[in-house]
Amino acid sequence: MVPLLTAEAAAAFDELTVTGRDKLLTGQGIEDWPNAFRIARFYPAVEYIQANRARTLAVRQFPRCLRRSILSSPLRPTRSL
């Protein structure tokens, strides 16, 4: 699912990347968004579509998981270590 998030973020900031203004952003490390935007421009369309299909299947399965799972939390606050 991460490639989808990255590709969608890259699409939102496409003009910034295409015009080279992404170089003006302060974070330019390997894990920073400007580099993720640049990399996402090279995602193959087939991979993007396959990732969307996987996301659709996950969204469809999620309600079933909630029906079978028990979510619990403490009734009162606990001290953290």
Side-chain angles (χ1 to χ4, degrees):
M1 302 295 169
V2 173
L4 286 175
L5 170 66
T6 306
E8 289 180 16
F13 291 93
D14 190 50
E15 183 181 345
L16 191 73
T17 304
V18 171
T19 60
R21 290 182 294 146
D22 57 346
K23 294 178 185 115
L24 301 174
L25 298 172
T26 56
Q28 294 292 330
I30 191 77
E31 297 289 324
D32 290 322
W33 279 111
N35 285 322
F37 299 158
R38 294 177 196 119
I39 291 167
R41 295 191 60 77
F42 295 100
Y43 286 168
V46 172
E47 296 298 325
Y48 181 79
I49 291 168
Q50 294 289 32
N52 264 316
R53 289 177 178 168
R55 178 170 64 178
T56 299
L57 291 174
V59 167
R60 288 181 183 162
Q61 293 294 325
F62 188 71
R64 290 184 200 144
C65 292
L66 288 180
R67 278 183 279 181
R68 295 182 184 147
S69 300
I70 297 174
L71 302 175
S72 63
S73 66
L75 293 175
R76 54 192 138 132
T78 59
R79 288 188 337 192
S80 61
L81 298 175

